[in-house]
Amino acid sequence: MRRHVTILILSLIFVAINISSVWSDSPESQYVNLVFSNMTDEERVGQIFMPAISSLSGNGTQEMTPELQSMLKRIHPGGVILFARDLSSVEQIVTLTNALQIEGPVLEHGGKIPLFISIDQEGGLINRIPFGPRMPGNMALGASRSAETTRYVAKTIGDELSSLGIHMNFAPVLDVETNQNNPVIGIRSFGADPNLVAELGDAYIAGIHDAGIICSGKHFPGHGDVGIDSHLGLPLENHTKARMNEVELVPFRSAIASGVDAIMTAHIIFPAYDNSTNLLDDGTEVATPATLSKPILTGLLREELSFDGLIITDAMMMKAIIDNFKTGDAAVRAVKAGADIILYPDPVDEAYEAVLTAYQSDPEVKTRVDESVKRILAMKEKYGIINPLVSENNLNLDIASRIAYAQEVCLGEKTYTIEREASEKTVTLLSDRNMLVPFSCSEMKSIAIFTPTLFFTNETSLAVEEICNGQSYSPEILIYTYQNETELSEEQQQAVMNTSLVILGTSSSNETQRTDEYYIPQFSRCLLDFANEYEIPVAGLALNQPYDIMFMQDVPIYVATYAGRAGGQNIHSAIRALFGEIPITGTLPVNIEDENGTIIFPMNSGIIRDFHF
């Protein structure tokens, strides 16, 4: 009874102060203060946590379980993050997000604060939703040079998330890819030009906002020029403040001006801003990563760049953190540094108990947590996640209708059309030595396709078959997957000698995979040398990062697709472009260097072909 009375009181206050449908940005609004004042210490501390529901099961958590119910009631989290292992179908996701809100934290004094439900749905390489179109990723959009296309793609991603009951997207990546040996960013970046990254980042933010989704740029203050993946270790970035201001900070400064809602931190050491160390319990000294740095999160981001949105840590279970700090200690340090949301600590109970203890004993932590909770409530207010006029988080809506709507949004023809049209603008032709493009199926006796994985082989061969069928010709299509192979077999040699065209797909994702010690460069060189001997044309198809031409600079034809393991329309568009079905308009958004660091293809390289369209 007390709970229903509280909801009624909140509703009356809402009407009395006439809060508009798009509510105040201010963390000091009357409604935020009312909710905040009715929260216990445990509930306030819980709001700053965003655990992964998949951490409760190694195989993911695709439905409400007793363990998940217990965690939601025990931690009172402000939100949760979903990963691919938690997701399988439209119906399953809508049912899961609905159940999460039903079982979400109920305040001791009545009422409910609905959860942020978040995800990493960047497009391209990082797609957590395992069905539907795979929108072009950032580097592909960088090759298009189109802010309009970027905004439309982001709006489509946002519409999908909204239909599924997801409120927050950890995108766009605002890192400037100035290091082609970066092991974790790569095609997730818009490119190497900070102004291009800023322009397209702003367009992406606008698109996500068009869909009514909370947008979080990442990874502050910049993850684009490191040689270590922070999932696996603690990177060091030694750039000066001057360099950071000219490159890494440019997209973040622009995003803040464009109204980005949240910014995710990087687990990277930046001595130019913070050269402090931390003495751990075992006597070890560890440098301070940005996620735990008050000079970076509060001094640089809050004060110097005037950011007033949510500061969210990158996942706190990454090795850059857990290999150097205890889970609870790291959470408290992040709060003191200025973080508002602690993302994916594992185990979450340890982090929660540590912050709760500090909240009740350390005035600094109490002040910081209270500030963060008000920011979180204000963001939920702004986006209509909290709505006191409708109790129980809109559960009166027909879930079957919600599922049907989500099916149309996520799997409808319109969404696939947007994916195809966007990907067609990204194809980048870097080499066509003998002006052989476009090819014609009518001139082909056979086409031999080589790629390093069965997935890429199937995707590429399907694209070629579609083109040939469309041109009413049926050349023989020979397909080979050369995973872990370094030389051509006799069968493959015979196929190359007698074919009209070789399509060679490569797919490196880091520096090691582009050296002579790895099978992709070894096999590619072997095939290319053999084909050149018999004067067979070879079209190189970069299926992931565009840098593979560094180990086969004599390849006659080379196309960058920026597809990554998602594949999708980027590969189909590249094949269609090679056969003259669509114009080629993409230009390289990064520099490509050889093994000595010499630029062999500068940014903006690209052979434009319109084929008289």
Side-chain angles (χ1 to χ4, degrees):
M1 176 67 181
R2 182 175 57 181
R3 180 182 174 198
H4 295 296
V5 170
T6 302
I7 292 173
L8 176 61
I9 292 171
L10 292 179
S11 300
L12 293 173
I13 292 174
F14 174 84
V15 172
I17 62 177
N18 192 28
I19 302 174
S20 64
S21 59
V22 179
W23 293 333
S24 167
D25 289 329
S26 169
E28 300 302 324
S29 75
Q30 294 181 54
Y31 178 68
V32 164
N33 280 328
L34 176 64
V35 175
F36 179 83
S37 66
N38 278 286
M39 297 174 73
T40 65
D41 290 356
E42 291 79 6
E43 291 161 353
R44 292 177 186 175
V45 170
Q47 278 295 303
I48 75 168
F49 284 96
M50 188 175 282
I53 67 169
S54 57
S55 65
L56 301 172
S57 168
N59 298 319
T61 302
Q62 297 203 358
E63 61 185 8
M64 185 56 61
T65 64
E67 293 81 8
L68 181 52
Q69 285 178 315
S70 176
M71 185 275 288
L72 293 173
K73 288 176 171 53
R74 192 172 64 250
I75 305 299
H76 324 282
V80 294
I81 181 171
L82 307 180
F83 287 94
R85 54 188 175 269
D86 305 315
L87 312 173
S88 59
S89 69
V90 168
E91 181 176 1
Q92 178 266 325
I93 297 174
V94 173
T95 302
L96 174 64
T97 58
N98 187 63
L100 283 166
Q101 297 296 12
I102 291 174
E103 299 296 337
V106 176
L107 299 182
E108 181 178 307
H109 298 292
K112 181 186 289 285
I113 301 179
L115 298 162
F116 284 138
I117 299 181
S118 68
I119 198 168
D120 296 286
Q121 187 72 4
E122 299 171 9
L125 186 65
I126 305 298
N127 276 283
R128 306 301 192 201
I129 296 174
F131 51 77
R134 294 292 182 266
M135 293 296 162
N138 283 3
M139 192 172 287
L141 294 170
S144 79
R145 296 303 197 280
S146 173
E148 180 182 10
T149 299
T150 300
R151 182 169 184 167
Y152 203 25
V153 163
K155 165 70 160 57
T156 304
I157 291 173
D159 286 339
E160 292 176 298
L161 298 182
S162 179
S163 75
L164 294 168
I166 298 169
H167 314 109
M168 179 183 289
N169 193 14
F170 294 131
V173 170
L174 296 174
D175 304 311
V176 183
E177 170 83 348
T178 56
N179 179 358
Q180 73 180 42
N181 296 325
N182 188 317
V184 65
I185 299 301
I187 58 174
R188 298 169 65 193
S189 168
F190 289 112
D193 178 354
N195 293 314
L196 175 66
V197 176
E199 178 188 5
L200 299 190
D202 290 350
Y204 195 108
I205 292 165
I208 291 291
H209 283 166
D210 289 342
I213 294 293
I214 300 167
C215 186
S216 178
K218 58 188 182 185
H219 308 80
F220 184 85
H223 210 313
D225 189 18
V226 295
I228 296 175
D229 181 349
S230 55
H231 292 83
L232 306 176
L234 182 55
L236 168 68
E237 181 53 81
N238 259 324
H239 287 314
T240 65
K241 287 185 178 181
R243 148 70 192 233
M244 295 288 291
N245 271 305
E246 292 172 359
V247 180
E248 279 77 12
L249 295 180
V250 170
F252 290 101
R253 190 178 291 112
S254 187
I256 291 168
S258 294
V260 69
D261 304 292
I263 289 178
M264 180 183 286
T265 68
H267 301 325
I268 298 176
I269 303 163
F270 293 88
Y273 291 97
D274 188 351
N275 62 0
S276 66
T277 59
N278 305 273
L279 185 63
L280 305 185
D281 291 344
D282 63 0
T284 305
E285 274 197 329
V286 178
T288 306
T291 297
L292 310 183
S293 169
K294 188 170 184 177
I296 293 176
L297 300 192
T298 299
L300 177 60
L301 184 52
R302 282 275 183 239
E303 296 172 359
E304 185 175 331
L305 299 184
S306 301
F307 178 62
D308 195 36
L310 295 174
I311 297 177
I312 301 174
T313 72
D314 204 344
M316 296 293 277
M317 44 65 67
M318 292 162 60
K319 287 186 177 295
I321 298 297
I322 63 171
D323 281 357
N324 298 289
F325 302 89
K326 293 180 179 178
T327 298
D329 179 46
V332 173
R333 289 174 184 269
V335 169
K336 287 184 175 182
D340 297 305
I341 292 178
I342 309 299
L343 178 66
Y344 195 175
D346 194 25
V348 64
D349 291 81
E350 182 180 332
Y352 171 76
E353 292 296 337
V355 175
L356 178 59
T357 298
Y359 181 86
Q360 294 175 332
S361 61
D362 185 337
E364 179 186 1
V365 173
K366 184 180 189 320
T367 298
R368 276 289 309 110
V369 168
D370 288 350
E371 291 172 351
S372 295
V373 173
K374 289 183 178 182
R375 283 196 185 95
I376 290 165
L377 294 175
M379 192 68 69
K380 290 181 177 182
E381 184 186 43
K382 175 180 178 181
Y383 280 88
I385 298 169
I386 297 175
N387 186 342
L389 289 180
V390 183
S391 64
E392 302 297 338
N393 194 42
N394 293 321
L395 296 182
N396 55 311
L397 295 180
D398 178 4
I399 191 167
S401 299
R402 289 173 53 195
I403 291 170
Y405 174 71
Q407 291 274 11
E408 177 60 29
V409 171
C410 296
L411 301 173
E413 182 179 346
K414 178 182 178 182
T415 306
Y416 283 98
T417 299
I418 292 168
E419 178 200 28
R420 176 179 55 78
E421 291 177 348
S423 69
E424 288 178 354
K425 299 175 182 179
T426 71
V427 180
T428 307
L429 179 64
L430 291 177
S431 176
D432 184 13
R433 289 175 180 268
N434 299 312
M435 298 292 288
L436 296 177
V437 178
F439 298 113
S440 172
C441 292
S442 65
E443 300 171 357
M444 300 287 166
K445 172 183 162 184
S446 69
I447 301 170
I449 298 170
F450 295 81
T451 85
T453 70
L454 183 61
F455 171 82
F456 282 133
T457 300
N458 292 339
E459 195 89 359
T460 307
S461 61
L462 177 62
V464 172
E465 288 175 6
E466 288 175 350
I467 290 296
C468 293
N469 290 338
Q471 294 185 2
S472 299
Y473 290 95
S474 301
E476 183 181 16
I477 299 175
L478 306 169
I479 59 175
Y480 301 96
T481 300
Y482 63 88
Q483 191 165 29
N484 296 321
E485 297 177 14
T486 58
E487 296 181 350
L488 289 165
S489 66
E490 289 187 10
E491 177 190 348
Q492 291 169 340
Q493 289 178 349
Q494 288 295 319
V496 171
M497 282 191 293
N498 294 296
T499 197
S500 305
L501 172 67
V502 171
I503 296 176
L504 170 60
T506 60
S507 179
S508 74
S509 58
N510 57 52
E511 179 182 13
T512 301
Q513 294 179 1
R514 291 189 284 270
T515 67
D516 290 339
E517 303 300 315
Y518 198 66
Y519 80 92
I520 291 178
Q522 290 181 50
F523 185 89
S524 299
R525 283 279 7 131
C526 179
L527 187 154
L528 188 57
D529 292 343
F530 188 85
N532 286 342
E533 181 180 347
Y534 289 90
E535 299 183 344
I536 304 298
V538 176
L541 208 62
L543 299 168
N544 190 354
Q545 300 186 4
Y547 308 116
D548 294 351
I549 197 170
M550 67 177 287
F551 56 73
M552 50 180 191
Q553 295 180 43
D554 56 336
V555 66
I557 300 147
Y558 186 79
V559 174
T561 72
Y562 319 98
R565 60 178 176 265
Q569 278 296 328
N570 286 44
I571 294 174
H572 287 254
S573 293
I575 296 298
R576 294 181 69 212
L578 284 173
F579 284 85
E581 295 287 319
I582 59 173
I584 302 174
T585 59
T587 54
L588 194 66
V590 292
N591 296 315
I592 299 178
E593 302 174 352
D594 64 16
E595 63 275 8
N596 299 314
T598 301
I599 295 176
I600 54 176
F601 286 92
M603 197 184 323
N604 301 317
S605 297
I607 301 169
I608 308 299
R609 296 276 170 79
D610 62 16
F611 306 133
H612 308 293
F613 280 86

